[in-house]
Amino acid sequence: MRVLCTCGKKAIIGKTDRLSLAHANLYCSCSDPECGHTFVANVSFSHTLSPSAKTSSQLVKQLVNAMSPENRKQLQQELRLF
Ligand SMILES: [Zn+2]
């Protein structure tokens, strides 16, 4: 994936902060030393063109694995209500 600086030159992605399975912040810096711009770009899921071939249980397992331990514990407690 290529990110461009507001000056039009290629930017270098230094760090990726994944906020969820569908959102990430990219910490970028311009490759032009005369510019020196550093900025954050957002990448997010937009829409499906072809559905995933994975089963719903595989998708749920991946979502649970991506949750924080606190959120996972809360989900376990909520599921006990059923
Ligand atoms: Zn620049």
Side-chain angles (χ1 to χ4, degrees):
M1 180 180 167
R2 179 166 290 186
V3 177
L4 297 179
C5 177
T6 51
C7 76
K9 294 284 171 69
K10 184 181 169 191
I12 298 162
I13 301 169
K15 181 184 141 193
T16 301
D17 191 8
R18 184 164 292 284
L19 306 172
S20 69
L21 289 176
H23 297 92
N25 283 339
L26 307 179
Y27 289 78
C28 306
S29 56
C30 184
S31 61
D32 183 349
E34 291 183 13
C35 174
H37 187 197
T38 59
F39 56 97
V40 178
N42 298 317
V43 178
S44 63
F45 172 83
S46 175
H47 59 279
T48 297
L49 296 174
S50 175
S52 171
K54 291 187 175 183
T55 64
S56 56
S57 61
Q58 285 175 308
L59 294 171
V60 168
K61 191 176 176 187
Q62 287 184 340
L63 285 170
V64 169
N65 286 341
M67 294 173 82
S68 68
E70 296 81 26
N71 287 345
R72 202 177 302 170
K73 202 171 190 175
Q74 185 181 349
L75 178 65
Q76 286 173 335
Q77 289 171 348
E78 289 171 0
L79 289 174
R80 282 192 197 113
L81 298 175
F82 289 104

